[in-house]
């Protein structure tokens, strides 16, 4: 079998992309809010049914400008079970991350753990809809209102997820989306901020462009986080495929679930069993319980590699155990996150992954569970 990676980027019809590239040549405009950037922003607003959007060069910089634009300072309560970007964005803005444990049910921040961590320094909550699993947004909103905190959602994995028929990215003061090549929907690299309050538009747009307000006025110390025209072209070309791609991923997910059900010690998640959720099937996370399965997560990861299956341990090590943070965040009690991080394995899922390969991966998992 050829190498099977955890994900592969989706590529649109090449001719459509080339037609958009021709437009770039005609306009002779490459970046700084070009015509395709504007077209892409409008198309995304319509697709997601959201009132305001700020496109960025990537998701990480979108988080960064959200923190700067909302003037977040002091301490922010967040999850330790995420990609380094979430925590890096805080630390690089001189903000102290304060970690709350996660729930075993969906691996998002445990809302009941947030309130005891609030101090006079707390200015915001930064939860992550990890794997597209929606956080407990209602409870988080209640806490934020009670203590007058801002809520910034890292929705890097949640493109297209809906709650009660509305885009999940409308929750909180602002949501960050990632359009990285490895995501369900991408613009090669890219990202966005989505928000209800129009007053943030000017601020975020300035922060992504060095803080420039006009040719002779720079009133904020901003980043260069602009999306260029080639990224916008890829985003425009990919957008029409999203719904079909989600359906295909759903089929892959259901196939995994059908076969994994029969293997003891492997747990998977079914976020859409909550009828209010339209899920995006962006990742295929499972937990491997050594006692019941017979082998540890690391042994499964290594075994699959011998079969040319490149699963990934998203997210291990836990943020608090990463080399760059190990000295800063010692002795924090995060029992669920620690356990989950030691058991998590993301199985391959991407558009174009044949169902027969999915069955084969499940067969390998089954065979290995029977081995001494
Ligand atoms: N918040 C959260 C919760 C996130 O997960 C992320 C990003 C962010 C914030 C920040 O958003 P961005 O600034 O990235 O927009 C990948 C992605 O680079 C990263 O975007 C993503 N999260 C993270 C979870 O995964 P790596 O280092 O694991 O990627 P890499 O290069 O190992 O790729 C994974 C697999 O994909 C490879 O084994 C093969 C395949 N691949 C990858 C690329 C880039 C391809 O087949 N073709 C390709 O072009 O981080």
């Amino acid at each position: 079998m050829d190498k099977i990676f955890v994900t592969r980027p989706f590529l649109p019809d090449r001719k459509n992309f080339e037609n958009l590239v021709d437009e770039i040549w005609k306009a002779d405009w490459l970046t700084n809010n070009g015509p395709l950037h504007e077209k892409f922003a409008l198309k995304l607003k319509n697709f997601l049914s959201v009132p305001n959007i700020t496109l960025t060069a990537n998701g990480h910089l979108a988080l960064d400008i959200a923190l700067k634009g909302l003037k977040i300072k002091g301490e922010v309560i967040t999850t330790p079970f995420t990609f380094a970007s979430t925590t890096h964005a805080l630390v690089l803005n001189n903000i102290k991350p304060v970690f709350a444990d996660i729930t075993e049910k969906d691996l998002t921040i445990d809302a009941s753990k947030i309130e005891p961590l609030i101090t006079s320094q707390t200015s915001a909550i930064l939860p992550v809809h990890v794997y597209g699993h929606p956080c407990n947004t209602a409870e988080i909103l209640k806490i934020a209102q009670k203590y007058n905190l801002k809520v910034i959602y890292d929705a890097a994995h949640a493109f297209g997820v809906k709650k009660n028929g509305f885009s999940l990215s409308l929750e909180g003061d602002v949501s960050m989306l990632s359009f990285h090549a490895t995501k369900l929907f991408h613009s090669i690299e890219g990202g966005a901020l989505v928000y209800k309050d129009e007053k943030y538009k000017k601020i975020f747009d300035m922060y992504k462009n060095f803080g420039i307000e006009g040719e002779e006025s720079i009133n904020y110390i901003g980043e260069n986080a602009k999306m260029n025209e080639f990224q916008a072209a890829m985003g425009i070309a990919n957008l029409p495929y999203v719904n079909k791609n989600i359906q295909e991923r759903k089929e892959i997910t259901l196939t995994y679930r059908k076969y994994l059900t029969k293997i003891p010690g492997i747990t998977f998640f079914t976020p859409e069993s909550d009828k209010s959720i339209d899920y995006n099937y962006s990742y295929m996370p499972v937990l491997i319980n050594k006692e019941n399965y017979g082998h540890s997560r690391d042994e499964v990861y290594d075994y699959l590699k011998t079969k040319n299956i490149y699963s990934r341990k998203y997210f291990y090590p836990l943020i608090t155990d990463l080399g760059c943070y190990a000295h800063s965040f010692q002795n924090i009690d995060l029992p669920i996150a620690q356990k989950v991080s030691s058991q998590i394995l993301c199985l391959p899922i991407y558009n174009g992954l044949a169902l027969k390969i999915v069955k084969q991966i499940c067969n390998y998992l089954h065979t290995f569970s029977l081995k001494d």
Side-chain angles (χ1 to χ4, degrees):
M1 195 192 302
D2 286 344
K3 278 187 180 174
I4 302 294
F5 295 111
V6 68
T7 187
R8 299 312 309 262
F10 174 78
L11 284 168
D13 180 75
R14 188 166 163 163
K15 194 76 208 133
N16 288 350
F17 181 67
E18 284 170 0
N19 289 341
L20 290 159
V21 171
D22 287 344
E23 285 187 33
I24 298 176
W25 255 254
K26 266 188 225 132
D28 194 9
W29 199 285
L30 301 180
T31 184
N32 293 12
N33 302 327
L36 292 184
H37 172 284
E38 297 303 287
K39 203 189 245 187
F40 184 34
L42 193 62
K43 281 182 182 289
L44 273 174
K45 278 207 301 186
N46 290 337
F47 182 84
L48 296 169
S49 294
V50 296
N52 300 294
I53 200 160
T54 293
L55 298 179
T56 55
N58 56 58
H60 179 72
L61 284 170
L63 263 185
D64 179 73
I65 67 170
L67 294 169
K68 288 185 166 70
L70 296 182
K71 307 222 176 311
I72 305 299
K73 304 232 168 344
E75 298 177 3
V76 168
I77 298 171
T78 188
T79 170
F81 189 68
T82 183
F83 191 55
S85 165
T86 320
T87 315
H88 284 358
L90 292 169
V91 173
L92 289 168
N93 280 288
N94 291 319
I95 297 163
K96 181 182 171 194
V98 176
F99 298 103
D101 209 352
I102 59 171
T103 70
E104 263 182 292
K105 184 179 145 264
D106 58 21
L107 315 185
T108 66
I109 196 166
D110 183 342
S112 73
K113 298 274 164 41
I114 294 175
E115 211 167 343
L117 297 173
I118 295 173
T119 70
S120 58
Q121 300 300 304
T122 311
S123 58
I125 307 170
L126 173 45
V128 178
H129 301 300
V130 68
Y131 313 126
H133 299 173
C135 296
N136 186 346
T137 53
E139 203 48 46
I140 291 168
L141 176 64
K142 260 195 232 160
I143 299 167
Q145 285 175 337
K146 185 169 164 192
Y147 293 92
N148 195 21
L149 304 175
K150 292 274 190 274
V151 181
I152 299 169
Y153 278 105
D154 179 332
H157 303 173
F159 188 84
V161 178
K162 290 185 190 153
K163 193 164 177 179
N164 297 318
F166 294 98
S167 174
L168 187 62
S169 58
L170 284 172
E171 296 286 347
D173 292 280
V174 55
S175 287
M176 170 279 251
L177 298 170
S178 163
F179 307 145
H180 184 261
T182 54
K183 298 290 191 294
L184 153 74
F185 167 73
H186 75 87
S187 56
I188 310 172
E189 293 265 3
L193 292 176
V194 170
Y195 40 97
K196 291 189 286 272
D197 195 335
E198 202 185 342
K199 75 167 182 276
Y200 295 139
K201 173 81 182 146
K202 196 172 163 203
I203 298 169
F204 291 148
D205 283 357
M206 277 193 278
Y207 267 109
K208 79 168 186 183
N209 187 22
F210 303 102
I212 296 174
E213 192 165 12
E215 277 186 36
E216 296 182 13
S217 65
I218 299 186
N219 296 323
Y220 298 97
I221 304 170
E223 296 283 0
N224 179 358
K226 287 166 278 135
M227 176 181 280
N228 69 50
E229 291 292 274
F230 287 87
Q231 291 175 285
M234 183 60 90
I236 293 169
N238 273 337
L239 199 55
Y241 297 91
V242 174
N243 289 331
K244 190 179 137 281
N245 285 352
I246 290 177
Q247 280 316 306
E248 188 187 336
R249 283 164 176 267
K250 181 176 179 180
E251 245 190 280
I252 293 170
T253 304
L254 295 181
T255 307
Y256 268 123
R257 289 183 195 166
K258 180 173 155 195
Y259 293 100
L260 293 179
T261 297
K262 298 169 191 157
I263 310 175
I266 297 190
T267 308
F268 51 80
F269 300 87
T270 56
E272 77 285 13
S273 58
D274 172 348
K275 292 291 169 229
S276 67
I277 307 300
D278 287 331
Y279 185 47
N280 68 0
Y281 304 92
S282 52
Y283 289 82
M284 184 61 214
V286 298
L287 298 177
I288 313 280
N289 179 317
K290 184 176 179 181
E291 247 167 59
N292 301 333
Y293 181 78
H295 297 276
S296 69
R297 183 276 314 274
D298 288 349
E299 287 165 340
V300 175
Y301 171 85
D302 290 339
Y303 173 76
L304 288 179
K305 250 189 182 176
T306 67
K307 303 291 177 195
N308 254 355
I309 313 293
Y310 289 78
S311 60
R312 289 294 284 265
K313 302 172 195 175
Y314 294 135
F315 294 99
Y316 172 85
L318 206 58
I319 292 286
T320 45
D321 295 331
L322 291 176
C324 57
Y325 291 129
H327 298 296
S328 323
F329 307 120
Q330 281 168 344
N331 304 323
I332 304 177
D333 195 26
L334 300 164
I336 309 292
Q338 287 289 359
K339 186 176 92 176
V340 165
S341 183
S342 70
Q343 296 186 346
I344 195 77
L345 197 63
C346 285
L347 300 176
I349 182 163
Y350 50 87
N351 293 101
L353 178 64
L355 296 182
K356 69 171 192 300
I357 305 249
V358 174
K359 282 182 214 165
Q360 180 67 64
I361 294 170
C362 295
N363 275 340
Y364 288 143
L365 288 169
H366 189 233
T367 314
F368 192 50
S369 74
L370 304 172
K371 275 197 177 153
D372 287 334

